[in-house]
mmCIF file of all heavy atoms in Angstrom:
data_model
loop_
_atom_site.group_PDB
_atom_site.id
_atom_site.type_symbol
_atom_site.label_atom_id
_atom_site.label_comp_id
_atom_site.label_asym_id
_atom_site.label_seq_id
_atom_site.Cartn_x
_atom_site.Cartn_y
_atom_site.Cartn_z
ATOM 1 N N ALA A 115 -16.717 24.257 -0.626
ATOM 2 C CA ALA A 115 -17.227 25.347 -1.475
ATOM 3 C C ALA A 115 -18.432 25.997 -0.791
ATOM 4 O O ALA A 115 -18.524 27.249 -0.803
ATOM 5 C CB ALA A 115 -17.626 24.738 -2.845
ATOM 6 N N ASP A 116 -19.335 25.196 -0.110
ATOM 7 C CA ASP A 116 -20.445 25.795 0.548
ATOM 8 C C ASP A 116 -20.030 26.637 1.761
ATOM 9 O O ASP A 116 -20.575 27.656 2.007
ATOM 10 C CB ASP A 116 -21.399 24.594 1.092
ATOM 11 C CG ASP A 116 -22.148 23.988 -0.113
ATOM 12 O OD1 ASP A 116 -22.179 24.511 -1.223
ATOM 13 O OD2 ASP A 116 -22.800 22.893 0.215
ATOM 14 N N PHE A 117 -18.966 26.150 2.457
ATOM 15 C CA PHE A 117 -18.461 26.876 3.595
ATOM 16 C C PHE A 117 -17.901 28.219 3.197
ATOM 17 O O PHE A 117 -18.109 29.210 3.850
ATOM 18 C CB PHE A 117 -17.365 26.020 4.394
ATOM 19 C CG PHE A 117 -16.742 26.801 5.438
ATOM 20 C CD1 PHE A 117 -17.352 26.905 6.673
ATOM 21 C CD2 PHE A 117 -15.557 27.340 5.262
ATOM 22 C CE1 PHE A 117 -16.780 27.641 7.666
ATOM 23 C CE2 PHE A 117 -14.867 28.069 6.232
ATOM 24 C CZ PHE A 117 -15.482 28.203 7.495
ATOM 25 N N LEU A 118 -17.121 28.213 2.185
ATOM 26 C CA LEU A 118 -16.384 29.409 1.790
ATOM 27 C C LEU A 118 -17.254 30.408 0.986
ATOM 28 O O LEU A 118 -17.002 31.606 1.015
ATOM 29 C CB LEU A 118 -15.201 29.088 0.824
ATOM 30 C CG LEU A 118 -14.046 28.307 1.393
ATOM 31 C CD1 LEU A 118 -12.934 27.954 0.354
ATOM 32 C CD2 LEU A 118 -13.503 29.086 2.658
ATOM 33 N N ARG A 119 -18.431 30.024 0.388
ATOM 34 C CA ARG A 119 -19.167 30.788 -0.526
ATOM 35 C C ARG A 119 -19.620 32.195 0.105
ATOM 36 O O ARG A 119 -19.483 33.164 -0.501
ATOM 37 C CB ARG A 119 -20.430 30.032 -1.005
ATOM 38 C CG ARG A 119 -21.172 30.802 -2.132
ATOM 39 C CD ARG A 119 -22.090 29.845 -2.857
ATOM 40 N NE ARG A 119 -21.470 28.717 -3.486
ATOM 41 C CZ ARG A 119 -21.633 27.428 -3.213
ATOM 42 N NH1 ARG A 119 -22.426 27.126 -2.177
ATOM 43 N NH2 ARG A 119 -20.960 26.543 -3.854
ATOM 44 N N PRO A 120 -20.083 32.155 1.442
ATOM 45 C CA PRO A 120 -20.518 33.461 1.972
ATOM 46 C C PRO A 120 -19.354 34.427 2.090
ATOM 47 O O PRO A 120 -19.581 35.648 2.109
ATOM 48 C CB PRO A 120 -21.022 33.008 3.352
ATOM 49 C CG PRO A 120 -21.342 31.582 3.327
ATOM 50 C CD PRO A 120 -20.326 31.022 2.361
ATOM 51 N N PHE A 121 -18.143 33.948 2.173
ATOM 52 C CA PHE A 121 -16.978 34.811 2.340
ATOM 53 C C PHE A 121 -16.440 35.292 1.023
ATOM 54 O O PHE A 121 -16.055 36.413 0.764
ATOM 55 C CB PHE A 121 -15.892 34.121 3.135
ATOM 56 C CG PHE A 121 -16.384 33.704 4.591
ATOM 57 C CD1 PHE A 121 -16.783 32.469 4.837
ATOM 58 C CD2 PHE A 121 -16.345 34.649 5.490
ATOM 59 C CE1 PHE A 121 -17.180 32.075 6.053
ATOM 60 C CE2 PHE A 121 -16.794 34.345 6.811
ATOM 61 C CZ PHE A 121 -17.229 33.010 7.059
ATOM 62 N N VAL A 122 -16.203 34.278 0.086
ATOM 63 C CA VAL A 122 -15.545 34.659 -1.109
ATOM 64 C C VAL A 122 -16.202 34.278 -2.461
ATOM 65 O O VAL A 122 -15.617 34.502 -3.474
ATOM 66 C CB VAL A 122 -14.103 33.942 -1.222
ATOM 67 C CG1 VAL A 122 -13.194 34.447 -0.196
ATOM 68 C CG2 VAL A 122 -14.250 32.364 -1.000
ATOM 69 N N GLY A 123 -17.506 33.886 -2.313
ATOM 70 C CA GLY A 123 -18.069 33.371 -3.505
ATOM 71 C C GLY A 123 -17.395 32.078 -3.868
ATOM 72 O O GLY A 123 -17.428 31.113 -3.151
ATOM 73 N N GLN A 124 -16.689 32.104 -5.044
ATOM 74 C CA GLN A 124 -16.039 30.910 -5.483
ATOM 75 C C GLN A 124 -14.490 31.144 -5.305
ATOM 76 O O GLN A 124 -13.972 32.056 -5.858
ATOM 77 C CB GLN A 124 -16.307 30.654 -7.028
ATOM 78 C CG GLN A 124 -15.529 29.553 -7.667
ATOM 79 C CD GLN A 124 -16.090 28.148 -7.199
ATOM 80 O OE1 GLN A 124 -17.261 27.936 -7.159
ATOM 81 N NE2 GLN A 124 -15.181 27.297 -6.912
ATOM 82 N N ALA A 125 -13.922 30.361 -4.473
ATOM 83 C CA ALA A 125 -12.408 30.381 -4.256
ATOM 84 C C ALA A 125 -11.806 29.904 -5.509
ATOM 85 O O ALA A 125 -12.297 29.017 -6.234
ATOM 86 C CB ALA A 125 -11.981 29.514 -3.130
ATOM 87 N N VAL A 126 -10.616 30.634 -5.896
ATOM 88 C CA VAL A 126 -9.973 30.246 -7.173
ATOM 89 C C VAL A 126 -8.621 29.523 -6.959
ATOM 90 O O VAL A 126 -8.049 29.068 -7.974
ATOM 91 C CB VAL A 126 -9.788 31.538 -8.103
ATOM 92 C CG1 VAL A 126 -11.146 32.157 -8.428
ATOM 93 C CG2 VAL A 126 -8.954 32.542 -7.461
ATOM 94 N N SER A 127 -8.141 29.477 -5.760
ATOM 95 C CA SER A 127 -6.853 28.860 -5.464
ATOM 96 C C SER A 127 -7.049 27.754 -4.499
ATOM 97 O O SER A 127 -7.893 27.820 -3.520
ATOM 98 C CB SER A 127 -5.921 29.887 -4.891
ATOM 99 O OG SER A 127 -5.898 31.065 -5.656
ATOM 100 N N TYR A 128 -6.403 26.646 -4.762
ATOM 101 C CA TYR A 128 -6.547 25.419 -3.975
ATOM 102 C C TYR A 128 -5.144 24.899 -3.605
ATOM 103 O O TYR A 128 -4.118 25.060 -4.316
ATOM 104 C CB TYR A 128 -7.229 24.372 -4.844
ATOM 105 C CG TYR A 128 -7.368 23.008 -4.149
ATOM 106 C CD1 TYR A 128 -8.412 22.797 -3.200
ATOM 107 C CD2 TYR A 128 -6.454 21.973 -4.357
ATOM 108 C CE1 TYR A 128 -8.544 21.566 -2.591
ATOM 109 C CE2 TYR A 128 -6.586 20.767 -3.694
ATOM 110 C CZ TYR A 128 -7.644 20.489 -2.808
ATOM 111 O OH TYR A 128 -7.780 19.372 -2.175
ATOM 112 N N ALA A 129 -5.087 24.359 -2.333
ATOM 113 C CA ALA A 129 -3.874 23.642 -1.927
ATOM 114 C C ALA A 129 -4.290 22.250 -1.413
ATOM 115 O O ALA A 129 -5.150 22.118 -0.609
ATOM 116 C CB ALA A 129 -3.186 24.381 -0.791
ATOM 117 N N PHE A 130 -3.594 21.281 -1.924
ATOM 118 C CA PHE A 130 -3.891 19.825 -1.486
ATOM 119 C C PHE A 130 -3.465 19.700 -0.046
ATOM 120 O O PHE A 130 -2.409 19.991 0.369
ATOM 121 C CB PHE A 130 -3.084 18.896 -2.374
ATOM 122 C CG PHE A 130 -3.576 18.844 -3.793
ATOM 123 C CD1 PHE A 130 -2.931 19.529 -4.841
ATOM 124 C CD2 PHE A 130 -4.556 17.971 -4.062
ATOM 125 C CE1 PHE A 130 -3.336 19.443 -6.113
ATOM 126 C CE2 PHE A 130 -5.075 17.872 -5.428
ATOM 127 C CZ PHE A 130 -4.504 18.614 -6.378
ATOM 128 N N PRO A 131 -4.457 19.196 0.805
ATOM 129 C CA PRO A 131 -4.038 18.841 2.204
ATOM 130 C C PRO A 131 -2.847 17.883 2.235
ATOM 131 O O PRO A 131 -2.809 16.953 1.422
ATOM 132 C CB PRO A 131 -5.273 18.210 2.761
ATOM 133 C CG PRO A 131 -6.433 18.731 1.921
ATOM 134 C CD PRO A 131 -5.841 18.904 0.558
ATOM 135 N N PHE A 132 -1.853 18.234 3.005
ATOM 136 C CA PHE A 132 -0.606 17.551 3.137
ATOM 137 C C PHE A 132 0.154 17.493 1.851
ATOM 138 O O PHE A 132 1.132 16.752 1.661
ATOM 139 C CB PHE A 132 -0.846 16.043 3.613
ATOM 140 C CG PHE A 132 -1.703 15.925 4.860
ATOM 141 C CD1 PHE A 132 -3.027 15.649 4.816
ATOM 142 C CD2 PHE A 132 -1.121 16.208 6.068
ATOM 143 C CE1 PHE A 132 -3.733 15.596 5.992
ATOM 144 C CE2 PHE A 132 -1.873 16.101 7.320
ATOM 145 C CZ PHE A 132 -3.168 15.878 7.139
ATOM 146 N N GLY A 133 -0.299 18.210 0.789
ATOM 147 C CA GLY A 133 0.311 18.097 -0.499
ATOM 148 C C GLY A 133 0.168 16.768 -1.228
ATOM 149 O O GLY A 133 0.758 16.555 -2.192
ATOM 150 N N ALA A 134 -0.801 15.969 -0.613
ATOM 151 C CA ALA A 134 -0.977 14.572 -1.156
ATOM 152 C C ALA A 134 -1.845 14.573 -2.402
ATOM 153 O O ALA A 134 -2.948 14.996 -2.330
ATOM 154 C CB ALA A 134 -1.512 13.728 0.003
ATOM 155 N N VAL A 135 -1.335 14.006 -3.475
ATOM 156 C CA VAL A 135 -1.981 13.922 -4.677
ATOM 157 C C VAL A 135 -1.853 12.598 -5.306
ATOM 158 O O VAL A 135 -0.908 11.927 -5.101
ATOM 159 C CB VAL A 135 -1.620 15.026 -5.746
ATOM 160 C CG1 VAL A 135 -1.884 16.356 -5.265
ATOM 161 C CG2 VAL A 135 -0.180 14.905 -6.042
ATOM 162 N N SER A 136 -2.826 12.229 -6.166
ATOM 163 C CA SER A 136 -2.675 11.024 -7.031
ATOM 164 C C SER A 136 -3.185 11.572 -8.361
ATOM 165 O O SER A 136 -3.716 12.610 -8.465
ATOM 166 C CB SER A 136 -3.616 9.907 -6.585
ATOM 167 O OG SER A 136 -4.914 10.230 -6.852
ATOM 168 N N PRO A 137 -2.759 10.892 -9.527
ATOM 169 C CA PRO A 137 -3.288 11.351 -10.809
ATOM 170 C C PRO A 137 -4.754 11.599 -10.786
ATOM 171 O O PRO A 137 -5.300 12.477 -11.346
ATOM 172 C CB PRO A 137 -2.873 10.193 -11.679
ATOM 173 C CG PRO A 137 -1.649 9.638 -11.029
ATOM 174 C CD PRO A 137 -1.940 9.681 -9.567
ATOM 175 N N ARG A 138 -5.546 10.689 -10.138
ATOM 176 C CA ARG A 138 -7.029 10.796 -10.027
ATOM 177 C C ARG A 138 -7.434 12.137 -9.429
ATOM 178 O O ARG A 138 -8.285 12.859 -9.869
ATOM 179 C CB ARG A 138 -7.568 9.538 -9.359
ATOM 180 C CG ARG A 138 -9.099 9.720 -9.106
ATOM 181 C CD ARG A 138 -9.633 8.464 -8.331
ATOM 182 N NE ARG A 138 -9.048 8.389 -7.007
ATOM 183 C CZ ARG A 138 -9.585 8.776 -5.858
ATOM 184 N NH1 ARG A 138 -10.707 9.458 -5.944
ATOM 185 N NH2 ARG A 138 -9.007 8.591 -4.713
ATOM 186 N N THR A 139 -6.809 12.413 -8.192
ATOM 187 C CA THR A 139 -7.378 13.500 -7.473
ATOM 188 C C THR A 139 -6.858 14.837 -8.024
ATOM 189 O O THR A 139 -7.519 15.826 -7.953
ATOM 190 C CB THR A 139 -6.987 13.462 -5.980
ATOM 191 O OG1 THR A 139 -5.535 13.549 -5.802
ATOM 192 C CG2 THR A 139 -7.467 12.186 -5.366
ATOM 193 N N LYS A 140 -5.694 14.765 -8.783
ATOM 194 C CA LYS A 140 -5.243 15.921 -9.443
ATOM 195 C C LYS A 140 -6.142 16.358 -10.632
ATOM 196 O O LYS A 140 -6.475 17.495 -10.732
ATOM 197 C CB LYS A 140 -3.867 15.561 -9.937
ATOM 198 C CG LYS A 140 -2.964 16.796 -10.273
ATOM 199 C CD LYS A 140 -1.577 16.400 -10.510
ATOM 200 C CE LYS A 140 -0.711 17.303 -11.342
ATOM 201 N NZ LYS A 140 0.663 16.919 -11.464
#
Side-chain angles (χ1 to χ4, degrees):
D116 286 349
F117 173 79
L118 293 180
R119 192 167 295 116
F121 299 99
V122 290
Q124 175 75 43
V126 298
S127 306
Y128 177 82
F130 289 96
F132 308 100
V135 295
S136 70
R138 173 180 63 92
T139 65
K140 199 168 160 178

